[in-house]
Each structure stands twice: as C-alpha cells, then as structure tokens.
Coordinates of all heavy atoms in Angstrom, one line a residue:
M30 N 0.8 -1.2 0.0 CA 0.0 0.0 0.0 C 0.9 1.3 0.0 O 0.6 2.2 -0.7 CB -0.9 0.0 1.2 CG -1.7 1.2 1.4 SD -3.4 0.8 1.4 CE -4.1 2.3 1.6
F31 N 1.9 1.2 0.8 CA 2.8 2.4 0.8 C 3.5 2.6 -0.5 O 3.7 3.8 -0.9 CB 3.9 2.2 1.9 CG 4.9 3.3 2.0 CD1 4.5 4.5 2.6 CD2 6.2 3.2 1.6 CE1 5.4 5.6 2.6 CE2 7.1 4.2 1.6 CZ 6.7 5.4 2.2
R32 N 3.8 1.5 -1.2 CA 4.5 1.6 -2.5 C 3.5 2.3 -3.5 O 3.9 3.1 -4.3 CB 4.9 0.2 -3.0 CG 5.5 0.3 -4.4 CD 5.9 -1.1 -4.8 NE 7.3 -1.2 -4.4 CZ 8.0 -2.3 -4.6 NH1 7.5 -3.4 -5.0 NH2 9.3 -2.3 -4.3
Q33 N 2.2 2.0 -3.4 CA 1.2 2.6 -4.3 C 1.1 4.1 -4.1 O 0.9 4.9 -5.0 CB -0.1 1.9 -4.2 CG -0.1 0.4 -4.7 CD -1.4 -0.3 -4.4 OE1 -2.1 0.1 -3.5 NE2 -1.6 -1.4 -5.1
L34 N 1.1 4.4 -2.8 CA 1.0 5.8 -2.5 C 2.2 6.6 -2.9 O 2.1 7.7 -3.4 CB 0.8 6.0 -0.9 CG -0.6 5.6 -0.4 CD1 -0.6 5.7 1.1 CD2 -1.7 6.4 -1.0
L35 N 3.3 6.0 -2.8 CA 4.6 6.6 -3.2 C 4.5 6.8 -4.8 O 4.9 7.9 -5.3 CB 5.8 5.8 -2.8 CG 7.1 6.4 -3.1 CD1 7.3 7.7 -2.4 CD2 8.2 5.4 -2.8
G36 N 4.1 5.8 -5.5 CA 4.0 5.9 -6.9 C 3.0 6.9 -7.3 O 3.2 7.7 -8.3
L37 N 1.9 7.0 -6.7 CA 0.9 8.0 -7.0 C 1.4 9.4 -6.7 O 1.2 10.4 -7.5 CB -0.4 7.8 -6.1 CG -1.6 8.7 -6.4 CD1 -2.0 8.5 -7.8 CD2 -2.7 8.4 -5.4
R38 N 2.2 9.6 -5.6 CA 2.8 10.9 -5.3 C 3.8 11.3 -6.4 O 3.8 12.4 -6.8 CB 3.5 10.8 -3.9 CG 4.0 12.2 -3.5 CD 4.7 12.1 -2.2 NE 3.8 11.6 -1.1 CZ 4.2 11.0 0.0 NH1 5.5 10.9 0.2 NH2 3.4 10.6 0.9
L39 N 4.6 10.4 -6.8 CA 5.5 10.7 -7.9 C 4.8 11.0 -9.2 O 5.2 11.9 -9.9 CB 6.5 9.5 -8.1 CG 7.6 9.3 -7.0 CD1 8.3 8.0 -7.3 CD2 8.5 10.5 -7.0
L40 N 3.8 10.3 -9.5 CA 3.0 10.6 -10.8 C 2.4 11.9 -10.7 O 2.5 12.7 -11.7 CB 2.0 9.5 -11.0 CG 1.1 9.6 -12.2 CD1 1.9 9.4 -13.4 CD2 0.0 8.7 -12.2
S41 N 1.8 12.3 -9.6 CA 1.2 13.6 -9.5 C 2.2 14.7 -9.6 O 2.0 15.8 -10.1 CB 0.3 13.7 -8.2 OG 1.2 13.7 -7.1
R42 N 3.3 14.5 -9.0 CA 4.4 15.5 -9.0 C 4.9 15.7 -10.4 O 5.2 16.8 -10.8 CB 5.5 15.1 -8.1 CG 6.4 16.2 -7.6 CD 7.4 15.8 -6.6 NE 6.9 15.5 -5.3 CZ 7.5 14.8 -4.4 NH1 8.6 14.3 -4.6 NH2 6.9 14.7 -3.2
R43 N 5.0 14.6 -11.2 CA 5.5 14.7 -12.5 C 4.5 15.5 -13.4 O 4.9 16.3 -14.2 CB 5.7 13.3 -13.1 CG 6.9 12.6 -12.6 CD 7.1 11.3 -13.4 NE 8.1 10.5 -12.6 CZ 8.0 9.2 -12.6 NH1 7.1 8.5 -13.2 NH2 8.9 8.5 -11.9
T44 N 3.2 15.2 -13.3 CA 2.3 15.9 -14.1 C 2.2 17.3 -13.8 O 2.0 18.2 -14.7 CB 0.9 15.2 -14.0 OG1 0.5 15.2 -12.7 CG2 0.9 13.8 -14.6
I45 N 2.3 17.7 -12.5 CA 2.2 19.1 -12.2 C 3.4 19.9 -12.7 O 3.3 20.9 -13.2 CB 2.1 19.2 -10.6 CG1 0.7 18.8 -10.2 CG2 2.3 20.7 -10.2 CD1 0.5 18.7 -8.7
T46 N 4.6 19.3 -12.5 CA 5.8 20.0 -12.9 C 5.9 20.0 -14.5 O 6.4 20.9 -15.0 CB 7.1 19.4 -12.3 OG1 7.1 18.0 -12.7 CG2 7.1 19.5 -10.8
S47 N 5.4 19.0 -15.1 CA 5.6 19.0 -16.6 C 4.5 19.9 -17.2 O 4.8 20.4 -18.3 CB 5.4 17.5 -17.2 OG 4.1 17.1 -16.9
S48 N 3.4 20.1 -16.6 CA 2.4 21.0 -17.2 C 2.8 22.5 -17.0 O 2.3 23.3 -17.7 CB 1.0 20.7 -16.6 OG 1.1 21.1 -15.2
A49 N 3.7 22.8 -16.1 CA 4.1 24.1 -15.9 C 5.1 24.6 -17.0 O 5.4 25.8 -17.0 CB 4.7 24.3 -14.5
R50 N 5.6 23.7 -17.8 CA 6.6 24.2 -18.8 C 5.9 24.9 -20.0 O 6.6 25.7 -20.6 CB 7.3 22.9 -19.3 CG 8.2 22.3 -18.3 CD 8.9 21.1 -18.8 NE 9.6 20.5 -17.7 CZ 10.1 19.3 -17.8 NH1 9.9 18.5 -18.8 NH2 10.7 18.7 -16.7
R51 N 4.7 24.6 -20.2 CA 4.0 25.3 -21.4 C 3.7 26.8 -21.0 O 3.2 27.0 -19.9 CB 2.7 24.6 -21.8 CG 3.0 23.3 -22.4 CD 1.7 22.7 -22.8 NE 1.1 22.2 -21.6 CZ -0.1 21.6 -21.5 NH1 -0.7 21.3 -22.6 NH2 -0.6 21.2 -20.4
Q52 N 4.0 27.7 -21.8 CA 3.7 29.1 -21.6 C 2.6 29.6 -22.5 O 2.7 29.3 -23.7 CB 5.0 29.9 -21.8 CG 6.1 29.6 -20.8 CD 6.2 30.6 -19.7 OE1 5.8 31.7 -19.8 NE2 6.6 30.1 -18.6
A53 N 1.7 30.3 -22.0 CA 0.6 30.8 -22.8 C 1.0 32.2 -23.4 O 1.8 32.9 -22.8 CB -0.6 31.0 -22.0
D54 N 0.5 32.4 -24.6 CA 0.8 33.7 -25.2 C 0.1 34.8 -24.5 O -1.1 34.7 -24.1 CB 0.3 33.7 -26.7 CG 1.4 33.9 -27.7 OD1 2.6 34.0 -27.2 OD2 1.1 33.8 -28.9
N55 N 0.8 35.9 -24.3 CA 0.2 37.1 -23.6 C -0.4 38.0 -24.7 O 0.3 38.7 -25.4 CB 1.3 37.8 -22.8 CG 0.6 38.9 -21.9 OD1 -0.6 39.1 -21.9 ND2 1.5 39.6 -21.2
G56 N -1.7 37.9 -24.8 CA -2.4 38.7 -25.8 C -3.1 39.9 -25.3 O -4.0 40.5 -26.0
V57 N -2.6 40.4 -24.2 CA -3.2 41.6 -23.6 C -3.0 42.9 -24.5 O -4.0 43.6 -24.7 CB -2.7 41.9 -22.2 CG1 -3.3 43.2 -21.6 CG2 -3.1 40.7 -21.3
K58 N -1.8 43.0 -25.0 CA -1.6 44.2 -25.8 C -2.4 44.3 -27.1 O -3.0 45.3 -27.4 CB -0.1 44.2 -26.2 CG 0.9 44.5 -25.1 CD 0.8 46.0 -24.7 CE 1.8 46.3 -23.7 NZ 1.7 47.6 -23.1
E59 N -2.6 43.1 -27.7 CA -3.5 43.1 -28.9 C -4.9 43.4 -28.6 O -5.6 44.1 -29.3 CB -3.4 41.7 -29.6 CG -2.0 41.4 -30.2 CD -1.0 40.9 -29.2 OE1 -1.4 40.4 -28.2 OE2 0.2 41.0 -29.5
K60 N -5.4 42.8 -27.4 CA -6.8 43.1 -27.0 C -7.0 44.6 -26.6 O -8.0 45.1 -26.9 CB -7.1 42.2 -25.8 CG -7.3 40.8 -26.1 CD -8.6 40.5 -26.9 CE -8.7 39.0 -27.0 NZ -9.9 38.7 -27.9
Q61 N -6.0 45.2 -26.0 CA -6.1 46.6 -25.7 C -6.2 47.4 -27.0 O -7.0 48.3 -27.0 CB -4.9 47.0 -24.9 CG -4.9 46.6 -23.4 CD -3.6 47.0 -22.7 OE1 -2.6 47.3 -23.3 NE2 -3.7 47.1 -21.4
K62 N -5.4 47.1 -28.0 CA -5.4 47.8 -29.2 C -6.8 47.7 -29.9 O -7.4 48.6 -30.4 CB -4.4 47.3 -30.2 CG -3.0 47.8 -29.9 CD -2.0 47.3 -30.8 CE -0.6 47.7 -30.4 NZ 0.5 47.1 -31.3
L63 N -7.3 46.4 -29.8 CA -8.6 46.2 -30.5 C -9.7 46.9 -29.8 O -10.6 47.5 -30.5 CB -8.9 44.6 -30.4 CG -10.3 44.2 -30.8 CD1 -10.4 44.3 -32.3 CD2 -10.6 42.8 -30.3
F64 N -9.8 47.0 -28.5 CA -10.8 47.6 -27.8 C -10.7 49.1 -27.7 O -11.6 49.8 -27.4 CB -11.0 47.0 -26.4 CG -11.7 45.7 -26.4 CD1 -10.9 44.5 -26.2 CD2 -13.0 45.6 -26.5 CE1 -11.5 43.3 -26.3 CE2 -13.7 44.3 -26.5 CZ -12.9 43.2 -26.4
Q65 N -9.5 49.7 -27.9 CA -9.3 51.1 -27.8 C -9.4 51.8 -29.1 O -9.4 53.1 -29.1 CB -7.9 51.4 -27.1 CG -7.9 51.1 -25.7 CD -6.6 51.3 -25.0 OE1 -5.6 51.6 -25.7 NE2 -6.5 51.2 -23.7
E66 N -9.4 51.1 -30.2 CA -9.4 51.8 -31.5 C -10.8 52.4 -31.7 O -11.8 51.8 -31.3 CB -9.0 50.9 -32.7 CG -10.0 49.8 -33.0 CD -9.5 48.9 -34.1 OE1 -8.3 48.7 -34.3 OE2 -10.4 48.3 -34.8
D67 N -10.8 53.5 -32.4 CA -12.1 54.2 -32.6 C -12.7 53.8 -34.0 O -12.4 54.4 -35.0 CB -11.9 55.7 -32.6 CG -13.2 56.5 -32.6 OD1 -14.2 55.9 -32.3 OD2 -13.1 57.7 -33.0
N68 N -13.6 52.8 -34.0 CA -14.2 52.4 -35.2 C -15.7 52.5 -35.2 O -16.4 51.9 -36.0 CB -13.8 50.9 -35.5 CG -14.1 50.0 -34.3 OD1 -14.7 50.4 -33.4 ND2 -13.7 48.7 -34.5
G69 N -16.2 53.2 -34.2 CA -17.7 53.5 -34.2 C -18.5 52.4 -33.6 O -19.7 52.5 -33.5
L70 N -17.9 51.3 -33.2 CA -18.7 50.2 -32.6 C -18.7 50.4 -31.1 O -17.8 50.9 -30.4 CB -18.0 48.8 -32.8 CG -18.1 48.3 -34.2 CD1 -17.2 47.0 -34.3 CD2 -19.5 47.9 -34.6
P71 N -19.9 50.0 -30.5 CA -19.9 50.0 -29.0 C -19.0 49.0 -28.4 O -18.7 48.0 -29.1 CB -21.4 49.7 -28.7 CG -22.0 49.2 -29.9 CD -21.1 49.6 -31.1
I72 N -18.6 49.2 -27.2 CA -17.6 48.3 -26.6 C -18.0 46.9 -26.5 O -17.2 46.0 -26.6 CB -17.2 48.9 -25.2 CG1 -15.9 48.2 -24.7 CG2 -18.3 48.7 -24.2 CD1 -14.7 48.5 -25.4
H73 N -19.3 46.6 -26.3 CA -19.8 45.2 -26.2 C -19.8 44.5 -27.5 O -20.1 43.3 -27.5 CB -21.1 45.2 -25.5 CG -22.2 45.9 -26.2 ND1 -22.4 47.3 -26.0 CD2 -23.1 45.6 -27.1 CE1 -23.4 47.7 -26.7 NE2 -23.9 46.7 -27.4
L74 N -19.5 45.1 -28.6 CA -19.5 44.5 -29.9 C -18.1 44.5 -30.6 O -18.0 44.0 -31.7 CB -20.5 45.1 -30.9 CG -22.0 45.0 -30.5 CD1 -22.8 45.8 -31.4 CD2 -22.4 43.6 -30.4
K75 N -17.1 45.0 -29.9 CA -15.8 45.1 -30.5 C -15.1 43.8 -30.5 O -14.0 43.6 -31.2 CB -14.9 46.1 -29.7 CG -15.3 47.5 -30.1 CD -14.3 48.5 -29.6 CE -14.7 49.9 -30.0 NZ -13.6 50.9 -29.7
G76 N -15.6 42.7 -29.8 CA -14.9 41.4 -29.8 C -15.1 40.6 -31.1 O -14.4 39.6 -31.3
G77 N -16.0 41.0 -32.0 CA -16.1 40.4 -33.2 C -17.5 39.6 -33.3 O -18.5 40.0 -32.7
V78 N -17.5 38.6 -34.2 CA -18.7 37.9 -34.5 C -19.3 37.2 -33.2 O -20.5 37.2 -33.0 CB -18.4 36.8 -35.6 CG1 -19.7 36.0 -35.9 CG2 -18.0 37.6 -36.9
K79 N -18.4 36.7 -32.4 CA -18.8 35.9 -31.2 C -19.6 36.9 -30.3 O -20.7 36.5 -29.8 CB -17.6 35.3 -30.5 CG -18.0 34.5 -29.4 CD -16.7 33.8 -28.8 CE -16.6 34.0 -27.4 NZ -15.4 33.4 -26.8
D80 N -19.1 38.1 -30.1 CA -19.8 39.1 -29.3 C -21.1 39.5 -29.9 O -22.1 39.7 -29.1 CB -18.9 40.3 -29.0 CG -17.8 40.1 -28.0 OD1 -17.9 39.1 -27.3 OD2 -16.9 41.0 -27.9
A81 N -21.2 39.6 -31.2 CA -22.4 40.0 -31.8 C -23.5 38.9 -31.7 O -24.6 39.2 -31.4 CB -22.2 40.3 -33.3
L82 N -23.1 37.7 -31.8 CA -24.0 36.5 -31.6 C -24.5 36.5 -30.2 O -25.7 36.3 -30.0 CB -23.3 35.2 -32.0 CG -23.2 35.1 -33.5 CD1 -22.4 33.8 -33.8 CD2 -24.5 35.0 -34.3
I83 N -23.6 36.6 -29.2 CA -24.0 36.6 -27.8 C -25.0 37.7 -27.5 O -26.0 37.6 -26.8 CB -22.8 36.6 -26.9 CG1 -22.0 35.3 -27.0 CG2 -23.2 36.9 -25.5 CD1 -20.7 35.3 -26.3
Y84 N -24.7 38.9 -28.1 CA -25.5 40.1 -27.9 C -26.9 39.9 -28.4 O -27.9 40.1 -27.8 CB -24.9 41.3 -28.5 CG -25.7 42.6 -28.4 CD1 -25.9 43.2 -27.3 CD2 -26.4 43.0 -29.6 CE1 -26.7 44.4 -27.2 CE2 -27.2 44.2 -29.5 CZ -27.3 44.8 -28.4 OH -28.1 46.0 -28.3
R85 N -27.0 39.4 -29.7 CA -28.3 39.1 -30.3 C -29.1 38.0 -29.6 O -30.3 38.1 -29.5 CB -28.1 38.7 -31.8 CG -27.7 39.9 -32.6 CD -27.5 39.6 -34.1 NE -27.0 40.7 -34.8 CZ -26.2 40.6 -35.8 NH1 -25.9 39.5 -36.3 NH2 -25.8 41.7 -36.5
F86 N -28.4 37.0 -29.2 CA -29.1 35.9 -28.4 C -29.7 36.5 -27.1 O -30.8 36.2 -26.8 CB -28.1 34.8 -28.2 CG -28.7 33.7 -27.3 CD1 -29.7 32.8 -27.8 CD2 -28.3 33.5 -26.0 CE1 -30.2 31.8 -27.1 CE2 -28.9 32.5 -25.2 CZ -29.9 31.7 -25.8
T87 N -28.9 37.3 -26.4 CA -29.3 37.9 -25.2 C -30.5 38.8 -25.4 O -31.5 38.7 -24.6 CB -28.2 38.7 -24.5 OG1 -27.1 37.8 -24.3 CG2 -28.6 39.2 -23.2
M88 N -30.5 39.6 -26.5 CA -31.6 40.5 -26.7 C -32.9 39.7 -27.1 O -34.0 40.0 -26.7 CB -31.3 41.5 -27.9 CG -30.3 42.5 -27.4 SD -30.9 43.6 -26.1 CE -29.9 43.1 -24.8
A89 N -32.7 38.6 -27.9 CA -33.9 37.8 -28.3 C -34.5 37.1 -27.1 O -35.7 37.1 -26.9 CB -33.4 36.8 -29.3
L90 N -33.6 36.6 -26.2 CA -34.1 36.0 -25.0 C -34.8 37.0 -24.1 O -35.8 36.7 -23.5 CB -32.9 35.4 -24.2 CG -33.2 34.4 -23.1 CD1 -33.9 33.2 -23.7 CD2 -31.9 33.9 -22.5
T91 N -34.3 38.2 -24.0 CA -35.0 39.2 -23.2 C -36.3 39.6 -23.8 O -37.3 39.7 -23.0 CB -34.1 40.5 -23.2 OG1 -32.8 40.1 -22.6 CG2 -34.7 41.6 -22.3
V92 N -36.4 39.8 -25.1 CA -37.7 40.1 -25.7 C -38.7 39.0 -25.5 O -39.9 39.2 -25.1 CB -37.5 40.5 -27.2 CG1 -38.8 40.5 -27.9 CG2 -36.8 41.8 -27.3
F93 N -38.2 37.7 -25.8 CA -39.1 36.6 -25.6 C -39.6 36.4 -24.1 O -40.7 36.2 -23.8 CB -38.4 35.3 -26.0 CG -39.2 34.1 -25.7 CD1 -40.3 33.7 -26.5 CD2 -38.9 33.2 -24.7 CE1 -41.0 32.6 -26.3 CE2 -39.6 32.1 -24.4 CZ -40.7 31.8 -25.2
G94 N -38.7 36.6 -23.2 CA -39.0 36.5 -21.8 C -40.0 37.6 -21.3 O -40.9 37.3 -20.6
S95 N -39.8 38.8 -21.8 CA -40.7 39.9 -21.5 C -42.1 39.6 -22.0 O -43.1 39.9 -21.3 CB -40.2 41.2 -22.0 OG -38.9 41.5 -21.4
G96 N -42.1 39.2 -23.3 CA -43.4 38.8 -23.9 C -44.1 37.7 -23.1 O -45.4 37.8 -22.9
Y97 N -43.4 36.7 -22.7 CA -44.0 35.6 -21.9 C -44.5 36.1 -20.6 O -45.6 35.6 -20.1 CB -42.9 34.5 -21.8 CG -43.5 33.3 -21.1 CD1 -44.4 32.5 -21.8 CD2 -43.1 32.9 -19.8 CE1 -44.9 31.3 -21.2 CE2 -43.6 31.8 -19.2 CZ -44.5 31.0 -19.9 OH -45.1 29.9 -19.3
V98 N -43.8 37.0 -19.9 CA -44.2 37.5 -18.6 C -45.5 38.3 -18.8 O -46.5 38.1 -18.0 CB -43.1 38.4 -18.0 CG1 -43.7 39.3 -16.9 CG2 -42.0 37.6 -17.5
V99 N -45.6 39.1 -19.8 CA -46.9 39.9 -20.1 C -48.0 38.9 -20.4 O -49.1 39.1 -19.9 CB -46.6 40.9 -21.3 CG1 -48.0 41.5 -21.7 CG2 -45.7 42.0 -20.9
Y100 N -47.8 37.9 -21.2 CA -48.8 36.8 -21.5 C -49.3 36.2 -20.2 O -50.5 36.0 -20.0 CB -48.2 35.8 -22.4 CG -49.1 34.6 -22.6 CD1 -50.3 34.7 -23.3 CD2 -48.8 33.4 -22.0 CE1 -51.1 33.5 -23.4 CE2 -49.6 32.3 -22.1 CZ -50.7 32.3 -22.8 OH -51.5 31.3 -22.9
E101 N -48.3 35.8 -19.3 CA -48.7 35.1 -18.1 C -49.5 36.0 -17.1 O -50.4 35.6 -16.5 CB -47.5 34.5 -17.4 CG -46.9 33.3 -18.0 CD -47.8 32.1 -18.0 OE1 -48.6 31.9 -17.0 OE2 -47.8 31.3 -19.0
L102 N -49.1 37.3 -17.1 CA -49.8 38.3 -16.2 C -51.2 38.5 -16.8 O -52.2 38.5 -16.0 CB -49.0 39.6 -16.2 CG -47.8 39.6 -15.3 CD1 -47.1 40.9 -15.5 CD2 -48.2 39.4 -13.9
F103 N -51.4 38.6 -18.1 CA -52.7 38.7 -18.7 C -53.5 37.5 -18.4 O -54.7 37.6 -18.1 CB -52.6 39.0 -20.2 CG -53.9 39.2 -20.8 CD1 -54.6 40.4 -20.7 CD2 -54.4 38.2 -21.6 CE1 -55.8 40.6 -21.3 CE2 -55.7 38.4 -22.2 CZ -56.3 39.6 -22.1
T104 N -53.0 36.3 -18.5 CA -53.7 35.1 -18.3 C -54.1 35.0 -16.8 O -55.2 34.5 -16.5 CB -52.8 33.8 -18.6 OG1 -52.4 34.0 -20.0 CG2 -53.6 32.6 -18.5
A105 N -53.2 35.4 -15.9 CA -53.6 35.4 -14.5 C -54.6 36.4 -14.1 O -55.5 36.2 -13.2 CB -52.3 35.6 -13.6
A106 N -54.6 37.5 -14.8 CA -55.6 38.6 -14.5 C -57.0 38.3 -15.1 O -58.0 38.8 -14.5 CB -55.1 39.9 -15.1
M107 N -57.0 37.5 -16.1 CA -58.3 37.2 -16.8 C -58.6 35.7 -16.7 O -58.2 34.9 -17.6 CB -58.3 37.6 -18.3 CG -58.0 39.0 -18.5 SD -59.4 40.0 -18.0 CE -58.9 41.6 -18.4
P108 N -59.2 35.3 -15.6 CA -59.4 33.8 -15.4 C -60.4 33.3 -16.5 O -61.2 34.1 -17.0 CB -59.9 33.7 -14.0 CG -60.4 35.0 -13.6 CD -59.7 36.0 -14.5
K109 N -60.3 32.0 -16.8 CA -61.2 31.4 -17.8 C -62.6 31.3 -17.2 O -62.8 31.0 -16.0 CB -60.7 30.1 -18.2 CG -59.4 30.1 -18.9 CD -58.9 28.7 -19.3 CE -57.6 28.8 -20.0 NZ -57.0 27.5 -20.4
K110 N -63.6 31.6 -18.0 CA -64.9 31.4 -17.6 C -65.4 30.0 -17.7 O -65.2 29.4 -18.8 CB -65.8 32.3 -18.4 CG -65.5 33.8 -18.2 CD -66.4 34.6 -19.1 CE -66.0 36.1 -18.9 NZ -66.8 37.0 -19.7
A111 N -65.9 29.4 -16.6 CA -66.3 28.0 -16.7 C -67.8 27.8 -17.0 O -68.6 28.6 -16.8 CB -66.0 27.4 -15.3

C-alpha cells in the first residue's frame, strides 16, 4: 500500500511539474489595441462575431422573456370562464 501511495505521489508531482513548462501567449496588448481603436462600434460588440452573436441571443431571450411575462400576467388577470 505504501508503494502505491509513493507511486501516486511521484506521478502527481510529474504531471504538475511537466504541465508548468508550457507558456501561454500574452495577448493583452493586442486586446487593448482592439478595444481602444475608434471604429464606431460600442464596446460590447468590439470582440467580433462571437460578441455580436451573444448580444443578439441575449436580446432575443430578453424580448421573448418579457413577452412571456406579459402573457402570463394577462392570463392570471383574466381567469377562464367556466
């Protein structure tokens, strides 16, 4: 049992130390240039197509949700006649 724990400890130590060797690219400067340029777009759409899709989906969900709330309020206010 002790041998298995020792082996597990060595394996975990190897994976942690080997994963730290990869370095990620620092893209902060490029993002700063992208968001600070004056191209007439609002800040929430400057990220590109992905941001535009997320924005449109959020707006559609908001409109649908608001309509559904109004429908449910109207249904609750006007009970069905039996």
Side-chain angles (χ1 to χ4, degrees):
M30 175 124 181
F31 179 73
R32 179 178 264 176
Q33 291 171 343
L34 289 175
L35 184 63
L37 185 62
R38 186 181 300 156
L39 286 174
L40 179 67
S41 66
R42 203 177 285 160
R43 283 186 199 148
T44 56
I45 290 173
T46 57
S47 64
S48 64
R50 291 181 188 162
R51 289 181 288 184
Q52 296 263 331
D54 243 358
N55 189 359
V57 174
K58 290 286 185 189
E59 291 83 20
K60 290 287 185 186
Q61 283 178 342
K62 285 180 186 176
L63 174 73
F64 284 102
Q65 288 178 354
E66 71 183 26
D67 187 21
N68 56 4
L70 287 174
I72 192 71
H73 59 274
L74 295 177
K75 284 191 176 187
V78 175
K79 187 173 127 182
D80 280 350
L82 287 175
I83 291 172
Y84 175 74
R85 288 181 183 151
F86 176 73
T87 303
M88 288 299 112
L90 194 61
T91 302
V92 168
F93 175 74
S95 299
Y97 186 70
V98 165
V99 169
Y100 169 75
E101 286 295 326
L102 285 173
F103 182 74
T104 306
M107 303 289 180
K109 294 180 182 178
K110 296 179 181 177

